[in-house]
Amino acid sequence: WEHTKAVWTARISRCATLLAAGGFDMALSLYSCKTYQLLQKISYPPVGGPAFIWSCDWSGDGEHLLVGCWNSRAYLYEVDRGLASSPMATKASWTAGKAAVALMAGPKMGGGGEQAGSAPEPLTEIATVQRSDRVYAVALDAMGRALVIGGRDKKLARFDLQTSDGSVKLRWEVTAEDFIYAVAASPLMHHVACGGPFKAVLLLDGRNGVQIAKLHFPGVIWAVTLAELPTGPVLAVGGECPVITVLDIETQSDVLQMPVSETTFDICVTTDSLCFTEGKDMGIFGSISRYGWRDHPAFEVISSVMISLLSSEDQLLRCMRLILGANPAVVNSRSPVTGSTLVHFAVHNSSNTHL
């Protein structure tokens, strides 16, 4: 799908049928992952500056979409699932060149109602949250009822959608030391996290905004994500840092550190896989069908960690301690090519006796 300008955010719905994307074209595009058609395009008014789209997030049930915009607003949409999956909407009428051209030439402005005579659209705006400055990051809970918003105003706020009248009500608000570039919320709002240029991640109780921990990092934070795993809740953090860090929230201790050579702008973590961006590349640690990211790592993984962190001994020792602590049998690993042991590899490539 070609966009006229840089795409800054792209999110697939949990049911894997819809994809929402936005960026410097000041518009949100909704696509079908089944027919690959453009279903809807919404442009946003450049109020007080450009209306760039830096973030969007689907609710866990796929019924709501929250969009963060530089025009100091966050927009909450309700998804018409039947319309979004309807063959009539996605194939017959939407693939007609006339409809496609009409969508590209005259997208609907955010905040407006359905245009007279236009085809019904899957996204309907149900609420708008006004902030005092640019909205950089947004997150939704599982049901699309709790909205978490952060941005240039240095404030992280939770709003609740009122089922009685459809309005949104501020539940709590906290102030960070600097801009907020990334936010995350656990499915049931037990935890909320945010990060930015203040080189730290704030971990909060999602119910009342009380700070649980402030976790310091060596660089600007661009990505945070929260996940509820069978072993407990985890927080994954990345950015302008030499490693991606996964922490156990209950113990507030590191579970895993993976070295990266470039900035990480996004992370996703599940029971099986840790997926992350690294500059212009994307990496996956773990496999859905064969092994998980917490399982015994292969020799090639450990050896690559050693090589990539040889110039940073403290970081290398920390990463290796985490790997060996979780998987002591790693010391018996052998190279599938040469047959040499991990100890041989370490001695050959490093003079660090602590390693």
Side-chain angles (χ1 to χ4, degrees), residues 137-152:
V138 296
L140 274 177
D141 72 336
M143 303 301 292
R145 293 288 183 265
L147 297 65
V148 180
I149 302 170
R152 200 170 187 269

Side-chain angles (χ1 to χ4, degrees), residues 190-208:
H190 291 153
H191 301 100
V192 168
C194 72
F198 49 96
K199 298 182 180 181
V201 170
L202 300 181
L203 179 63
L204 311 174
D205 187 317
R207 294 160 292 189
N208 51 33

Side-chain angles (χ1 to χ4, degrees), residues 162-184:
Q162 307 299 303
T163 55
S164 57
D165 58 3
S167 63
V168 289
K169 182 180 180 181
L170 178 65
R171 180 155 177 171
W172 53 257
E173 183 177 81
V174 298
T175 302
E177 300 170 41
D178 208 333
F179 305 153
I180 295 173
Y181 287 163
V183 303

Side-chain angles (χ1 to χ4, degrees), residues 182-186 193 223-227 234-238 245 249 266-269 274-275:
V183 303
S186 60
V224 294
T225 188
L226 290 162
V234 298
L235 167 68
V237 181
T245 302
I249 291 178
D266 214 348
I267 304 175
C268 180
V269 60
L274 175 66
C275 178

Side-chain angles (χ1 to χ4, degrees), residues 102-151:
L103 278 170
M104 295 303 293
K108 188 170 67 177
M109 297 297 288
E114 186 177 305
Q115 295 176 340
S118 64
E121 297 172 328
L123 297 180
T124 300
E125 184 182 318
I126 60 174
T128 302
V129 179
Q130 176 73 54
R131 305 299 287 156
S132 61
D133 213 327
R134 299 170 181 172
V135 174
Y136 288 154
V138 296
L140 274 177
D141 72 336
M143 303 301 292
R145 293 288 183 265
L147 297 65
V148 180
I149 302 170

Side-chain angles (χ1 to χ4, degrees), residues 20-260:
F24 289 176
D25 59 356
M26 301 192 292
L28 179 81
S29 297
L30 183 71
Y31 301 100
S32 167
C33 294
K34 291 184 176 180
T35 65
Y36 310 116
Q37 301 302 313
L38 174 68
L39 302 181
Q40 188 174 353
K41 188 172 183 180
I42 303 172
S43 288
Y44 297 89
V47 180
F52 298 150
I53 304 298
W54 256 25
S55 64
C56 63
D57 191 34
W58 295 93
S59 60
D61 60 7
E63 300 291 334
H64 295 87
L65 175 69
L66 183 61
V67 178
C69 185
W70 272 32
N71 66 4
S72 306
R73 293 168 176 81
Y75 300 89
L76 180 64
Y77 296 93
E78 192 171 54
V79 184
D80 187 328
R81 305 295 307 175
L83 184 61
S85 60
S86 167
M88 178 64 75
T90 58
K91 226 170 182 179
S93 53
W94 292 93
T95 55
K98 182 177 179 181
V101 169
L103 278 170
M104 295 303 293
K108 188 170 67 177
M109 297 297 288
E114 186 177 305
Q115 295 176 340
S118 64
E121 297 172 328
L123 297 180
T124 300
E125 184 182 318
I126 60 174
T128 302
V129 179
Q130 176 73 54
R131 305 299 287 156
S132 61
D133 213 327
R134 299 170 181 172
V135 174
Y136 288 154
V138 296
L140 274 177
D141 72 336
M143 303 301 292
R145 293 288 183 265
L147 297 65
V148 180
I149 302 170
R152 200 170 187 269
D153 60 1
K154 306 179 184 178
K155 296 183 184 298
L156 180 69
R158 172 183 170 173
F159 293 84
D160 290 340
L161 180 66
Q162 307 299 303
T163 55
S164 57
D165 58 3
S167 63
V168 289
K169 182 180 180 181
L170 178 65
R171 180 155 177 171
W172 53 257
E173 183 177 81
V174 298
T175 302
E177 300 170 41
D178 208 333
F179 305 153
I180 295 173
Y181 287 163
V183 303
S186 60
L188 299 179
M189 290 301 293
H190 291 153
H191 301 100
V192 168
C194 72
F198 49 96
K199 298 182 180 181
V201 170
L202 300 181
L203 179 63
L204 311 174
D205 187 317
R207 294 160 292 189
N208 51 33
V210 173
Q211 182 173 306
I212 298 173
K214 183 178 182 181
L215 309 166
H216 295 274
F217 291 87
V220 176
I221 302 302
W222 284 102
V224 294
T225 188
L226 290 162
E228 298 284 349
L229 305 184
T231 53
V234 298
L235 167 68
V237 181
E240 297 174 24
C241 304
V243 295
I244 290 171
T245 302
V246 182
L247 303 101
D248 183 302
I249 291 178
E250 294 178 349
T251 63
Q252 294 181 29
S253 59
D254 294 348
V255 175
L256 177 73
Q257 288 190 346
M258 286 293 293
V260 289

